[in-house]
Amino acid sequence: MKDLFDRVSNDCSKLVTKSYSTSFSLAVNMLSPIIRSDIYNIYGFVRFADEIVDTFHDYDKEKLMEHFERDYYLSKEFGISLNPILNSFQQTVNKYKIPDEMVQAFLKSMKADLFKTEYQTKAEYDEYIYGSADVVGLMCLKVFVNGNDEMYEALKDAAMRLGSAFQKVNFLRDLKDDYEVLNRSYFPNINLGELNAASKQIIIDEIEDDFDFAYKNGILKLPVEAKFGVYMAYRYYRRLLKKLKAVPSEKIMDTRIRISDPMKINLLARSYVKYKLNIIK
């Protein structure tokens, strides 16, 4: 009966993904069926941790994180958790031998959000990005290469840069909530309260460098099972960045950028044509 429970757990992670992010779930749906479930499982884990620190304001977030981390390691020890999100994630961790260092780095960044409000140096910023985004890209890469260590080593830098780009786009898109609601300032040496065009351009240039590196050195070289799904996520985030670039720096705090559902479908259709014709760019 454990098989049935595992299937239910996987379905829960899939439901979490579809409920919290229609755009990411659309990209995951473009992956090969043999790896979709494991990417849903990774997303479910990181999503719940992120929800604890970002949205559960009426609860003791620190205690919730302590219990979440403790219960994850109990699931690793016992090979099962009655929390279906943790149960499905530990399956994927064990199946693809995802190093514990990655999980610990992720949890460290999430726990930093409980108390740290400002990143004053690039070293602090880079460490947070590594834990909150880069290692998530590396976890997914472990699934994509399915034990091919040589391919993993060749693609890991690109996976990290793509994770960084996604996270930085999220930072720029969510400036208002992060700065005014959560009292967080991630970008070092930039006064978000008085963001000007030059400072915004520095952020944009950094993101575009990450995207360009990830595309040329990673996305084009991914296994066929993963390539189109990752390319779709890349195209979505590049479109978000394009819209963010068009917003004047003085108005970016007051503008919520999103991609409409019809635009997502249009983006998917055009991306698929380019992919099939081998003219993706």
Side-chain angles (χ1 to χ4, degrees), residues 228 231-232 235 267-275 280:
F228 183 60
Y231 175 66
M232 184 65 206
R235 290 269 293 170
L267 189 63
L268 171 62
R270 288 188 288 111
S271 298
Y272 183 73
V273 170
K274 289 182 178 182
Y275 176 77
I280 58 176

Side-chain angles (χ1 to χ4, degrees), residues 85-100:
I85 301 304
L86 295 180
N87 186 61
S88 61
F89 180 63
Q90 63 88 19
Q91 290 179 65
T92 295
V93 168
N94 292 330
K95 180 179 178 181
Y96 293 97
K97 297 180 174 59
I98 293 174
D100 188 56

